[in-house]
Amino acid sequence: MIRWVSAGAALAAAAVFASAALGADVSLRGAGWSASRVGPESEATATAALWLRERLALTPSLDLGGEAYVVARAPGQRGDHATFELREAYAAYFGEHFDLTVGRQLIVWGRADRIKPTDLASSRDFTSLVTEDDDQKRGVGAVKLGVPVGDVVLMAYAMPEFRAHAVAPLPPLPGLSVRRASPHGAVADHAVRLERTGGRIDWSLTYFGGHDKMPMLSATPVSLAQGVIEERFPKLRMFGGDIAASVGDYGLRAELAHVVFDDLAACAAPVCGGRTSVVVGVDRQFPDDLYVNLQAVLAAGGTERAPPSLLPELFVRNGVLSNRLTASEGGLSWSVIRQWNNQTFRAEFSGVSVFGRSGTLMQARLAYKLTDDIRLTLGGDLYRGKRAGVLGARRDESGVFLEIRHGY
Amino acid sequence: MSGASLFRRAFLRVAAAGVITAAYGRGFALAGDAVADLMTANYLATRVRSSQGLAAFKLVPPAGTERIRRVRSLSLLEANGVDSRRLTWFEGPPDVKGMGTLTVENAAGDDDIWVYLPAVRQTRRVQAANKGEAFLGTDFSYGDILGYRVAEWTHREIGRETVDGRETIIIESVAASPEIAARARHQRRAQWIEPASGIGYKVETFDSQGRKLKTFVMSDVRRVQDDPPRFQAMKAVAHNLVTNHRTEIVFDDFQAGLALSPDDFSVRALERGPR
């Protein structure tokens, strides 16, 4: 308890220093969670977090930016621990003929709502206890060059830093440990993007060549003899595009990505090979601050494989994490947001339901602004579906939370 | 546009203002054309060629804590003299700091609007809100801020009154169709307009049952552009009589006549933030 109070005091002191001395935006967040996301034996916990964000304009054409957070988790059955994350730390130059951003940065692609098949550049921490999914995103060390060419911007990315998605650890397997087989050190991930945002229609085309951020675990007779399960991040290429436009009172959004693995042998999931994912949706802003978004989600392609004789549960786990369980699947996503009292009170109900065995996720958030600086949020996530499904596999993560937040 | 055409437009504008002012001085009720001219002058009165401003939006609930949103903005009038491009950035409070919007008005159709969301580092096209929707969570609607198209309403003079020491003509405007009323979220409004400037110093809106919905009071009106004369209210207060919620917009700084180009109003500029 003393250590917990000490951690809180340290966070508060750091917040005061960051705000007063550095002029940074500060966010202090305290929350209670009915279930954590760190493993199958999920337990209730509490978190205290300090987020700092700053964007400093050194000159009219040069910015320094960054964001970091530290989260302390209350003592529990799995012990207590603190997590530090440097989400961004970059320098950005805005020139007449080009823009250049160097350093760790969040790279976000895709115009669909929440489900973005082209968004492969930045990784996520799926184990982090955050109330907004976007806060799971983590920056990647990169150089981004943007060159306006008429109405479009041509962007080139070099991403030497590899950061894998953080996922719940594999349940212990007696006598076996997990070892990363690849990649090690700097990588040559890269992308080219042509984007137009403006006029009547927004669109983009993206090529990404790099590593999958989602781990694939495999066991071979050789590795098992060494007591090791190998963790790989296969190289892939993605060709994608998106579009957004307004038609009358409606907004139309669509996004498509085709992903192929460079080395099919590195794929250890029930479905491998080229796979195309499509999201097509419509949204509308209704009177009285009501927003509704509906999307169809489709994924198809690849060839189904029989499970291996060695540790077939790894094979299924890979399929769950990479959404490669069946050769084709379809579903719907929705988002309904309503605000009241001049945006003092906000309610959001959203989710995705994938037909077949993949399952359903429903999320609800109720947020009330006590003041300009203090916000209270009550929320919950409900996963449903078969254990061997992408969403059903996360049923133990279903739960509710209550967060009080000061700052952004 | 040719020099002769420019001269003709300028002459007509001056002539129309002269007719309105002369009619007002003699105590005549304005005829239909003169009312339309006055409403056109009102529609154009705040449309400066370019501007930058820093304003505080104070949201005052009937009970509880006031909230203040600080907003920095840039605007540029299009060549048609009616539509504008606008960039708006929130400087506070913390939960919206860094958020920005780019609006490209389109008198012939829907506006194009993009929102930059710093939390996701992404710009998103959003639907042009109905003119009656709340402007950035305030008690002002987009129509209250950007103005209502003159031709979509039927106007008539209903009286004359002195407001804040200024002689004004009271114009009643009624929606020309149920659809227009539905989009504006009011059926009828009364505006206290100063003929010389075209500025509305007071506005009241009503529903189809005649119930008063909102009142607006503009003050500290300054002439911010000379040719053609354009004005800006440094303070505007909206009172929603249904919810008893009020919004005060106070400009701490407002400058017109800046050297801006359409290139300054791009998504790239939106994402860079104010310079």
Side-chain angles (χ1 to χ4, degrees):
Chain A
M1 177 58 90
I2 292 172
R3 189 165 49 174
W4 187 242
V5 171
S6 303
L11 289 181
V16 170
F17 172 76
S19 181
L22 306 176
D25 298 332
V26 176
S27 178
L28 279 169
R29 308 171 185 186
W33 307 79
S34 71
S36 68
R37 296 170 184 164
V38 293
E41 294 147 19
S42 208
E43 61 184 14
T45 189
T47 55
L50 167 66
W51 289 60
L52 296 174
R53 182 178 68 187
E54 176 64 308
R55 185 166 171 177
L56 197 62
L58 292 180
T59 72
S61 57
L62 184 64
D63 283 5
L64 293 180
E67 184 173 33
Y69 66 77
V70 59
V71 182
R73 188 174 292 187
Q77 294 170 22
R78 291 172 177 275
D80 59 336
H81 66 272
T83 306
F84 173 77
E85 166 67 15
L86 181 64
R87 291 186 93 200
E88 289 192 298
Y90 62 82
Y93 169 77
F94 304 102
E96 188 177 345
H97 303 295
F98 68 91
D99 298 338
L100 184 67
T101 306
V102 179
R104 183 174 281 184
Q105 53 196 291
L106 284 170
I107 298 172
V108 183
W109 295 329
R111 289 187 165 82
D113 189 54
R114 298 159 64 95
I115 301 170
K116 300 174 185 292
T118 63
D119 192 23
L120 299 183
S122 289
S123 65
R124 283 180 181 266
D125 182 352
F126 290 102
T127 66
S128 63
L129 289 170
V130 290
T131 59
E132 293 160 24
D133 289 348
D134 289 320
D135 286 344
Q136 293 177 335
K137 292 213 73 164
R138 308 194 298 180
V140 59
V143 177
K144 180 175 85 170
L145 175 69
V147 182
V149 183
D151 288 339
V152 302
V153 180
L154 176 63
M155 286 177 282
Y157 300 80
M159 294 168 269
E161 183 187 31
F162 176 77
R163 304 188 78 196
H165 290 314
V167 297
L170 186 70
L173 293 171
L176 293 174
S177 61
V178 176
R179 182 184 69 191
R180 180 179 290 191
S182 67
H184 298 288
V187 295
D189 290 3
H190 57 280
V192 180
R193 182 172 167 88
L194 196 61
E195 178 167 336
R196 183 176 199 269
T197 306
R200 309 305 297 180
I201 298 175
D202 302 338
W203 58 265
S204 75
L205 294 170
T206 304
Y207 164 77
F208 170 76
H211 292 79
D212 195 353
K213 305 292 187 295
M214 194 61 82
M216 279 212 182
L217 300 174
S218 65
T220 63
V222 175
S223 70
L224 288 179
Q226 298 169 342
V228 165
I229 295 170
E230 292 189 335
E231 182 184 51
R232 296 178 186 276
F233 299 88
K235 291 185 78 174
L236 56 78
R237 284 169 290 153
M238 185 273 289
F239 306 87
D242 59 39
I243 190 166
S246 299
V247 179
D249 291 334
Y250 296 89
L252 303 178
R253 301 176 193 281
E255 187 170 337
L256 179 148
H258 181 71
V259 174
V260 293
F261 286 110
D262 282 3
D263 179 11
L264 262 184
C267 175
V271 175
C272 291
R275 189 166 174 85
T276 302
S277 301
V278 182
V279 179
V280 179
V282 60
D283 62 2
R284 182 172 177 184
Q285 183 72 48
F286 289 91
D288 298 323
D289 249 333
L290 172 65
Y291 171 81
V292 177
N293 180 296
L294 286 172
Q295 296 182 140
V297 184
L298 302 164
T303 51
E304 296 196 24
R305 294 178 165 191
S309 54
L310 292 172
L311 293 175
E313 59 266 40
L314 298 183
F315 183 73
V316 175
R317 176 186 157 95
N318 291 338
V320 166
L321 292 178
S322 302
N323 195 19
R324 285 177 170 271
L325 282 173
T326 55
S328 65
E329 64 182 16
L332 289 172
S333 77
W334 63 89
S335 182
V336 180
I337 301 170
R338 174 83 156 85
Q339 299 188 90
W340 290 269
N341 290 355
N342 298 75
Q343 300 181 353
T344 303
F345 182 58
R346 173 188 166 103
E348 178 174 357
F349 176 62
S350 57
V352 58
S353 185
V354 181
F355 307 135
R357 66 176 179 173
S358 286
T360 297
L361 163 64
M362 288 181 278
Q363 294 182 308
R365 304 283 187 270
L366 301 173
Y368 182 73
K369 286 183 187 174
L370 298 169
T371 70
D372 270 341
D373 294 315
I374 301 176
R375 186 173 71 192
L376 203 59
T377 305
L378 174 66
D381 297 343
L382 180 65
Y383 291 90
R384 280 290 174 264
K386 295 180 179 172
R387 291 270 179 199
V390 172
L391 296 168
R394 301 178 69 181
R395 280 163 54 174
D396 292 335
E397 296 176 24
S398 298
V400 296
F401 65 81
L402 178 65
E403 182 197 67
I404 186 162
R405 178 183 298 200
H406 182 280
Y408 74 90
Chain B
M1 186 178 290
S2 70
S5 175
L6 273 174
F7 175 79
R8 191 162 55 245
R9 276 184 57 178
F11 174 78
L12 289 173
R13 198 172 293 147
V14 171
V19 168
I20 295 165
T21 306
Y24 180 80
R26 292 172 192 167
F28 297 147
L30 295 183
D33 286 352
V35 171
D37 288 341
L38 180 60
M39 295 312 296
T40 301
N42 171 252
Y43 186 69
L44 297 174
T46 58
R47 291 174 193 270
V48 296
R49 277 193 209 95
S50 61
S51 72
Q52 70 171 16
L54 180 62
F57 294 7
K58 189 200 284 186
L59 280 61
V60 186
T65 313
E66 294 178 357
R67 294 184 291 137
I68 296 178
R69 296 181 168 188
R70 294 181 301 281
V71 172
R72 187 174 291 278
S73 61
L74 283 179
S75 77
L76 177 69
L77 194 64
E78 302 274 21
N80 65 9
V82 174
D83 294 326
S84 289
R85 291 168 184 244
R86 298 171 192 274
L87 277 167
T88 305
W89 295 279
F90 285 91
E91 297 197 336
D95 63 329
V96 292
K97 184 180 177 184
M99 198 174 98
T101 64
L102 168 64
T103 304
V104 179
E105 294 173 22
N106 178 16
D110 291 326
D111 300 338
D112 291 310
I113 305 174
W114 294 267
V115 177
Y116 174 65
L117 302 166
V120 292
R121 315 300 197 264
Q122 205 176 28
T123 298
R124 184 178 170 88
R125 177 187 283 265
V126 297
Q127 299 327 111
N130 286 343
K131 284 286 199 287
E133 287 304 297
F135 175 70
L136 306 177
T138 69
D139 293 294
F140 292 85
S141 69
Y142 281 89
D144 301 329
I145 298 290
L146 303 176
Y148 296 94
R149 290 174 197 160
V150 176
E152 293 181 346
W153 300 74
T154 304
H155 312 279
R156 72 182 179 104
E157 179 188 338
I158 59 171
R160 299 177 181 216
E161 206 171 279
T162 301
V163 177
D164 204 16
R166 295 170 189 273
E167 304 294 330
T168 64
I169 300 175
I170 309 171
I171 301 292
E172 179 192 67
S173 303
V174 179
S177 71
E179 291 75 25
I180 289 168
R183 289 179 74 88
R185 309 297 298 280
H186 64 264
Q187 170 73 24
R188 178 171 65 89
R189 67 179 179 276
Q191 297 181 82
W192 281 251
I193 300 173
E194 183 186 43
S197 65
I199 283 286
Y201 279 83
K202 184 176 156 187
V203 182
E204 295 176 346
T205 60
F206 303 85
D207 67 11
S208 58
Q209 310 297 315
R211 284 177 298 224
K212 195 186 290 185
L213 301 174
K214 291 181 184 178
T215 64
F216 305 86
V217 176
M218 273 57 76
S219 59
D220 191 11
V221 176
R222 297 180 192 175
R223 183 170 170 140
V224 293
Q225 178 180 301
D226 288 330
D227 183 25
R230 292 290 184 259
F231 303 86
Q232 178 63 42
M234 294 297 141
K235 182 174 182 181
V237 179
H239 186 190
N240 185 327
L241 301 172
V242 177
T243 61
N244 199 24
H245 192 281
R246 283 190 301 121
T247 298
E248 297 175 16
I249 297 180
V250 177
F251 277 92
D252 297 322
D253 180 39
F254 187 91
Q255 297 173 43
L258 288 87
L260 299 172
S261 77
D263 289 343
D264 296 319
F265 293 81
S266 62
V267 168
R268 194 169 163 231
L270 171 68
E271 293 176 351
R272 283 174 60 178
R275 295 287 117 180

